[in-house]
Amino acid sequence: MSLVADVSTPAGRPRKPPPSPALLIGLAVVLAITLWAGLSIEFTLAPLFTDLTRGKVIIDQFLRPEWDFLLRPAVAAAFLETLYIAILASLGGCILALLLAMLASKVSAPNTLVYRITRGVLSLVRSLPDVAYGLLFVAVLGTGALPGVLALIMFNIGVAAKLTGETIDSIDPGPVEAVEAAGGNRLQRARWAIFPQVAPNYLSYCFYVFELNIRASLVLGIVGAGGIGTLLYTLLARFEYSQVSAIVVLLFVVVFILDQLSRALRRRLS
Amino acid sequence: MVIEFDGVGVTYPNGVRGLDGVSLTIPDGQFVVVVGLSGAGKSTLVRTINGLVPVTAGRLTVNGHALNGARRRELRALRARIGMIFQSFNLVTRTSVMNNVLMGRLHATGTPRSLLGWYSAADKETAFDALERVGIVEKAWQRASTLSGGQQQRVAIARALAQKPEIMLADEPVASLDPPTASAVMSDLQRINRELGITTVVNLHFLDLARRFGDRIIGMRAGKVVFDGTGEEADDSVFEDIYGRSLTAEDVIAKEPGALA
Ligand SMILES: Nc1ncnc2c1ncn2[C@@H]1O[C@H](COP(=O)(O)OP(=O)(O)O)[C@@H](O)[C@H]1O
Ligand SMILES: [Mg+2]
């Protein structure tokens, strides 16, 4: 009756091994770092309770959005500016990203040096967040839509060139070799052997970048790079919370619709 | 065009010897079949002819032009006159058959125009001609991915023909095809060789196809040429010598019994 000899581990079935010491140590380290970080910034949930009562007036205003405000021409203009910034930046960023992606993949780069340098430059570009580019261009060019567009272009290059470059890495090299064997030059190989293979993915990244841009241009507006973000910032500074909440609701709807459109398009591409 | 190998060697960057002291003269218009086991150096031999693999020893000339140390521009000019087809067809399957065939005209189209796909009317006519020659002109505007393997290989042949080449290289062109299609594609290559006088070098590993189609058979083993003669001279003992083993059913494409005489 060896079958019932050990109920917990039926015959021949290996027992589940205990968690590895490395895992336990890792968990302890994560916990310690979290505690340490929380203590260092004196993290406390207290304001949530004390300030919530103080902020009752503000919340009351927030809960009564001033819908009429949305009809003012300045609001439509600000929304349109955000849209234009996002479209221009997506176009500029994606075109530049395609060129850089061609240099950032071993498959299409003219040599290893160019490939290494481009990869380096791209990770440098990615290391700054969009807001940092916003601040940088606003400092250099003053406030307005132009610094917003430029900041987003830098941000888009970082995202789209990396994704497209990785897609190029994984293409079928056969057609590239075929065009090379037929006497085609490097640009012709990129155009006719590489681009058709990555086009659906590339377009999908462009729409994705556009989605990111709508959101990012909000934050950029707050640092003075134009659009709806700048309007929001002004209203907040004037304590016009009813108007702020009306805009936030509209913003939510607009971003949601644009996201869904862009996603539907991306789904059709893949 | 005449192809001349004179003591040609290829050592790959990782130190592997691809070719070792190969000396051959392939005259204009000949249909040459290269046979040998996998790893014997067949692909290397064919790829040195259009400079896809650089020669590291000896001297290789095509129509008097040396491939050793050729500049990129010279190499492109030479490649324009040499068509190549591949085991895996190497088509851009996402685009139309026509776009694939027109890739054979890229060498004759200025870069700005070619980036826009703005081919001349004469180039389009050449592409249609090439498709007619392989009998699939009715597929011109179909996506390449919708075609069968045999049809895709014909598109690849048309792409090479669109170059108006003087040499045709084929690296295991029928290895991915079923036996009847393989024979048909080999017949196409032979017909094109006869009609247009294009010097043709084909790698094969089926000895029956090699005997049937080759004016001349070159046997390779370990990077060296170990046989060079006609199809009649290449009997089973010659193939056993080239392969360094006795023949098996894998070595013929015709699966009926008695194919191995
Ligand atoms: N790109 C390469 N780098 C290094 N070694 C290679 C490369 N291509 C082929 N070889 C080696 O060269 C030898 C000949 O290969 P190949 O010409 O492809 O033979 P075949 O086409 O007859 O199968 C083999 O040992 C192969 O492993
Ligand atoms: Mg091979």
Side-chain angles (χ1 to χ4, degrees):
Chain A
M1 295 298 281
S2 62
L3 274 178
V4 290
D6 186 346
V7 179
S8 62
T9 53
R13 304 231 174 119
R15 194 192 287 268
K16 184 182 179 195
S20 80
L23 180 68
L24 293 178
I25 292 170
L27 281 175
V29 168
V30 168
L31 196 66
I33 289 176
T34 311
L35 278 176
W36 172 72
L39 289 174
S40 311
I41 61 164
E42 292 167 11
F43 183 81
T44 160
L45 293 173
L48 211 52
F49 304 103
T50 55
D51 296 0
L52 212 54
T53 46
R54 206 162 19 110
K56 186 165 182 317
V57 189
I58 299 174
I59 290 173
D60 278 347
Q61 285 192 39
F62 244 106
L63 291 179
R64 275 181 283 107
E66 192 186 323
W67 300 117
D68 291 351
F69 177 69
L70 297 180
L71 299 175
R72 293 201 202 164
V75 174
F79 265 101
L80 278 180
E81 192 175 28
T82 292
L83 194 64
Y84 294 150
I85 291 175
I87 290 175
L88 280 180
S90 307
L91 273 177
C94 287
I95 290 171
L96 287 173
L98 181 62
L99 299 178
L100 283 167
M102 290 285 179
L103 300 178
S105 167
K106 270 193 181 141
V107 179
S108 46
N111 55 53
T112 355
L113 186 68
V114 170
Y115 154 81
R116 290 237 174 86
I117 291 175
T118 315
R119 284 262 157 133
V121 168
L122 284 180
S123 52
L124 211 65
V125 166
R126 268 198 313 280
S127 66
L128 271 189
D130 46 359
V131 183
Y133 283 114
L135 288 169
L136 195 75
F137 284 114
V138 167
V140 176
L141 301 167
T143 58
L146 180 65
V149 171
L150 292 181
L152 284 178
I153 283 182
M154 294 303 287
F155 168 61
N156 294 350
I157 285 174
V159 178
K162 179 187 157 72
L163 291 173
T164 311
E166 281 166 3
T167 307
I168 294 176
D169 284 340
S170 64
I171 61 165
D172 171 11
V176 184
E177 190 179 35
V179 175
E180 186 177 8
N185 62 32
R186 203 182 307 285
L187 283 171
Q188 293 171 331
R189 288 196 306 259
R191 169 66 184 87
W192 291 104
I194 299 172
F195 180 71
Q197 293 195 60
V198 300
N201 283 315
Y202 167 69
L203 279 180
S204 157
Y205 302 147
C206 291
F207 284 114
Y208 173 59
V209 151
F210 174 72
E211 288 167 39
L212 295 179
N213 281 352
I214 293 276
R215 264 181 282 266
S217 65
L218 256 177
V219 185
L220 286 178
I222 290 172
V223 303
I228 199 73
T230 302
L231 178 64
L232 261 183
Y233 184 68
T234 317
L235 295 176
L236 277 170
R238 289 201 224 128
F239 309 111
E240 300 279 10
Y241 297 114
S242 295
Q243 299 179 351
V244 168
S245 69
I247 293 217
V248 167
V249 170
L250 181 58
L251 203 58
F252 181 81
V253 172
V254 169
V255 170
F256 182 79
I257 291 174
L258 287 177
D259 260 20
Q260 293 307 310
L261 274 178
S262 170
R263 255 173 230 191
L265 280 171
R266 283 203 279 144
R267 252 199 308 276
R268 293 199 60 182
L269 284 171
S270 54
Chain B
M1 296 207 287
V2 184
I3 307 165
E4 284 204 84
F5 288 80
D6 184 9
V8 169
V10 168
T11 308
Y12 283 107
N14 63 359
V16 172
R17 273 254 166 126
L19 286 185
D20 189 0
V22 170
S23 294
L24 287 170
T25 300
I26 300 176
D28 205 13
Q30 198 168 48
F31 195 105
V32 180
V33 173
V34 183
V35 294
L37 287 181
S38 172
K42 304 182 295 294
S43 298
T44 307
L45 179 84
V46 164
R47 277 154 204 265
T48 54
I49 298 173
N50 62 0
L52 284 182
V53 170
V55 166
T56 53
R59 189 175 157 78
L60 172 57
T61 59
V62 174
N63 224 21
H65 298 283
L67 271 123
N68 314 51
R71 296 175 170 281
R72 242 212 300 276
R73 182 177 283 273
E74 294 169 344
L75 208 51
R76 277 210 307 275
L78 190 64
R79 282 175 185 161
R81 303 165 70 184
I82 305 177
M84 184 164 192
I85 60 177
F86 306 83
Q87 173 175 352
S88 46
F89 323 138
N90 291 358
L91 300 181
V92 178
T93 51
R94 275 191 210 278
T95 189
S96 67
V97 164
M98 193 50 160
N99 271 339
N100 274 285
V101 177
L102 281 168
M103 286 176 208
R105 297 310 299 160
L106 284 172
H107 70 83
T109 312
T111 305
R113 282 182 67 139
S114 69
L115 294 186
L116 297 170
W118 186 14
Y119 295 98
S120 69
D123 284 344
K124 286 179 200 154
E125 191 48 39
T126 306
F128 273 122
D129 262 359
L131 281 171
E132 269 161 5
R133 227 169 246 290
V134 290
I136 45 167
V137 73
E138 75 280 2
K139 308 277 186 200
W141 302 109
Q142 254 175 288
R143 227 174 190 244
S145 57
T146 63
L147 271 53
S148 70
Q151 290 170 330
Q152 290 198 20
Q153 192 60 296
R154 287 195 173 91
V155 173
I157 295 173
R159 174 177 62 191
L161 280 180
Q163 290 173 238
K164 302 194 174 161
E166 292 155 79
I167 295 177
M168 180 76 92
L169 306 176
D171 192 3
E172 308 255 9
V174 299
S176 310
L177 303 176
D178 58 74
T181 315
S183 298
V185 165
M186 284 305 297
S187 301
D188 278 348
L189 284 174
Q190 190 180 48
R191 184 168 45 77
I192 288 161
N193 160 264
R194 301 281 191 264
E195 286 174 6
L196 303 174
I198 300 174
T199 314
T200 306
V201 183
V202 184
N203 286 348
L204 285 178
H205 63 258
F206 297 118
L207 60 88
D208 49 347
L209 284 184
R211 281 194 194 117
R212 213 166 109 207
F213 292 101
D215 296 337
R216 175 180 176 189
I217 292 178
I218 290 171
M220 297 200 62
R221 195 171 63 217
K224 293 192 171 74
V225 173
V226 293
F227 174 81
D228 187 351
T230 63
E232 292 85 66
E233 288 163 1
D235 58 21
D236 282 359
S237 68
V238 165
F239 273 97
E240 285 180 344
D241 187 46
I242 295 171
Y243 291 177
R245 59 164 170 74
S246 50
L247 301 179
T248 72
E250 302 295 305
D251 298 327
V252 290
I253 194 161
K255 292 302 178 216
E256 67 266 23
L260 275 178

